[in-house]
Amino acid sequence: MAFRDGPFENIKLPLAWAAAVVVVVGIIAAIFMLAGGQRQAAPTRMSYMRAGVETAAAPVGEALSAPVRWTGNAFEYVRGYFFAVSENRRLRAELLELRDWRDEAIALKNINARYEQMLGIHTDPPIPMVTGRAITDTRGPFARARLVNIGQGDGVRPGNPVLSEHGLVGRISGVSGPVSRMVLLTDVASRIPVMVERTDARAILTGDASRNPRLDYVRGINMVQEGDRVITSGDGGGIPRGLPVGIVAKGVDGSWRVKLFSERAAIDYVRVLLFQDFNQLVDPSALNAPALAALDAAPAPTPQQAAAIEDAATRRASAAAAAAERARQAEANALARERAEAEARRIQQEQAASAPAAPSTDGNTPG
């Protein structure tokens, strides 16, 4: 069996260096043995001689210990050199394992960053939201839709707008218990009322199965320029105003298109606005508050003020009665005229019916 096929295949052994190391180690061991025999043969009965010998032997022992340290370092170097291949394999395995952990940590960091961005989404006034994940892509030749893992149990209703961390994504088209179906802005069935933020020009964002939906029915002339920011207009009451949509760009067909903000990243984590109507944006009690509630605390009028108020009320009542009388009189006169005109028409019809027929000019009797 060859040396490289045996159990020492990972050991690289330069023979010349190995022989030199063995010789050095033998010489150092012999020196230690001679030094130990000489110290044992020395007289040890007199304490002062022992102290002197120990004092003189201390630097010698220090000098002799240096080769021992060098030998230990040499052994460590030789050991590392011999087992370099196995050490490299072990380090490669650890590197592969750490690389997997690194990839997982980067993915978690990205997810946390997207969560932070989504949690930073807010509307003014605040609208309740619920966060979900797009779990299935039902993409077809024309359809652009997703299934979201939140549904009726979470308060989602058809028509609710859906947002990513970048902007508006689409609307909810169908809801069941645990899931809901989301139609994207690029779907052929998508129609969203939008406005150009710079000019307040209204338009309809129409999906046509392309990545950049079309901007149709723009109100006004020269109201849109390339690079304008598009937001929701709130028209129709289905979507609140001010949600970011995209940037206007000129299409190859000459029409205005919108580069969606939501196309900047994958649509996987979304937030559904639980928006029903604009009653959520205003406190109904504030709208129904009595307009003259502060009059309850007003002071009572003086006699002069009360007389003036009563006099004004009397004049208003007299004027209203006179106006009503004039209206009744005018109505009676109009009715009398109509009756007289009808009677005159009736008399004319009777006279025309009773008058004799005029003689014929050709001398023949009518017959």
Side-chain angles (χ1 to χ4, degrees), residues 8-364:
F8 302 97
E9 59 176 343
N10 297 328
I11 301 177
K12 297 181 180 180
L13 183 62
L15 298 179
W17 282 97
V21 169
V22 171
V23 173
V24 171
V25 171
I27 294 174
I28 295 174
I31 293 174
F32 272 111
M33 292 175 63
L34 292 175
Q38 291 177 357
R39 282 191 297 178
Q40 290 178 0
T44 58
R45 294 181 178 180
M46 301 178 68
S47 60
Y48 67 93
M49 294 181 65
R50 182 183 301 142
V53 171
E54 291 178 354
T55 303
V60 176
E62 182 68 22
L64 293 177
S65 64
V68 176
R69 293 194 300 270
W70 298 341
T71 303
N73 295 334
F75 272 118
E76 290 295 331
Y77 176 78
V78 171
R79 180 182 177 186
Y81 182 77
F82 287 165
F83 295 96
V85 175
S86 60
E87 185 70 14
N88 287 337
R89 289 181 179 177
R90 185 183 65 82
L91 292 176
R92 286 195 188 97
E94 291 183 359
L95 182 61
L96 291 176
E97 184 178 0
L98 292 175
R99 188 173 297 170
D100 294 338
W101 281 99
R102 182 201 63 183
D103 296 340
E104 185 175 356
I106 293 175
L108 292 175
K109 181 180 179 181
N110 294 334
I111 292 175
N112 288 335
R114 296 187 64 184
Y115 275 146
E116 290 177 357
Q117 291 179 356
M118 293 186 66
L119 291 175
I121 298 175
H122 65 278
T123 58
D124 189 18
I127 300 176
M129 301 182 188
V130 58
T131 304
R133 184 173 183 177
I135 55 178
T136 304
D137 186 358
T138 59
R139 185 183 300 269
F142 299 103
R144 299 290 187 271
R146 300 286 179 89
L147 293 181
V148 187
N149 63 348
I150 51 177
Q152 191 172 6
D154 301 295
V156 180
R157 297 175 56 183
N160 288 153
V162 183
L163 295 172
S164 68
E165 67 269 28
H166 298 292
L168 185 67
V169 173
R171 299 180 68 177
I172 298 297
S173 61
V175 179
S176 63
V179 297
S180 56
R181 186 173 185 269
M182 172 182 61
V183 174
L184 302 180
L185 297 179
T186 55
D187 189 89
V188 293
S190 176
R191 303 290 187 275
I192 302 295
V194 296
M195 62 180 293
V196 179
E197 190 174 28
R198 180 178 60 87
T199 60
D200 289 344
R202 262 54 173 188
I204 298 295
L205 187 68
T206 304
D208 56 0
S210 66
R211 295 186 60 182
N212 302 319
R214 191 171 61 252
L215 204 61
D216 291 338
Y217 308 109
V218 180
R219 298 182 184 177
I221 301 175
N222 299 327
M223 302 296 288
V224 180
Q225 294 180 2
E226 193 165 359
D228 284 342
R229 190 168 182 264
V230 178
I231 60 175
T232 55
S233 64
D235 296 336
I239 298 179
R241 179 173 176 172
L243 301 180
V245 177
I247 299 295
V248 175
K250 197 72 171 181
V252 294
D253 56 352
S255 62
W256 290 114
R257 299 274 176 169
V258 176
K259 295 181 179 179
L260 300 176
F261 292 140
S262 58
E263 290 291 333
R264 295 177 178 176
I267 302 175
D268 46 10
Y269 297 99
V270 295
R271 301 199 78 181
V272 180
L273 272 68
L274 305 182
F275 180 78
Q276 300 176 6
D277 51 42
F278 287 100
N279 291 332
Q280 293 177 265
L281 308 181
V282 181
D283 185 9
S285 60
L287 296 177
N288 299 329
L292 302 178
L295 294 180
D296 295 339
T302 62
Q304 293 81 5
Q305 293 174 344
I309 293 173
E310 185 177 0
D311 183 61
T314 303
R315 286 198 301 269
R316 284 196 300 270
S318 301
E325 182 63 28
R326 288 194 298 270
R328 285 194 298 268
Q329 188 65 32
E331 184 178 0
N333 294 336
L335 183 59
R337 285 196 301 270
E338 290 179 358
R339 289 178 179 176
E341 291 175 357
E343 184 66 22
R345 287 194 298 270
R346 185 183 64 81
I347 294 173
Q348 290 178 358
Q349 292 175 358
E350 290 178 354
Q351 291 175 355
S354 61
S360 178
T361 58
D362 56 2
N364 297 327

